[in-house]
């Protein structure tokens, strides 16, 4: 997978942990499968901008915080 997907996954995981949220917490908020969330954090999935926006909203951060 691309470096961008890996970096995005690392950023999502780091912010999620800083906010003391589990993958399950995020998945319940978004109605997302935990294995899908795990693949995103592992940089194994390319996600749409819509999913990126939902993740940012669930983590209460801006999209730019996730992609920087």
């Amino acid at each position: 997978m691309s470096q961008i997907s890996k970096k995005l996954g690392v950023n999502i995981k780091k912010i999620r942990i800083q906010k003391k949220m589990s993958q399950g917490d995020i998945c319940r908020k978004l109605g997302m499968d935990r294995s899908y969330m795990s693949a995103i954090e592992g940089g194994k999935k390319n996600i749409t901008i819509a999913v990126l926006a939902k993740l940012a909203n669930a983590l209460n951060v801006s999209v730019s915080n996730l992609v920087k």
Side-chain angles (χ1 to χ4, degrees), residues 12 16 21-32 37 41 54-55 58-59:
I12 291 169
R16 176 179 60 75
M21 295 176 80
S22 68
Q23 281 185 347
D25 293 334
I26 298 282
C27 294
R28 280 187 290 281
K29 263 188 155 177
L30 301 178
M32 183 186 289
M37 186 66 207
E41 287 188 357
K54 286 179 184 178
L55 281 167
L59 291 166

Side-chain angles (χ1 to χ4, degrees), residues 20-61:
K20 297 180 173 35
M21 295 176 80
S22 68
Q23 281 185 347
D25 293 334
I26 298 282
C27 294
R28 280 187 290 281
K29 263 188 155 177
L30 301 178
M32 183 186 289
D33 189 71
R34 209 183 70 71
S35 64
Y36 181 62
M37 186 66 207
S38 181
I40 292 170
E41 287 188 357
K44 294 175 177 68
K45 286 277 182 207
N46 280 325
I47 60 173
T48 64
I49 292 171
V51 171
L52 183 62
K54 286 179 184 178
L55 281 167
N57 189 40
L59 291 166
N60 203 25
V61 296

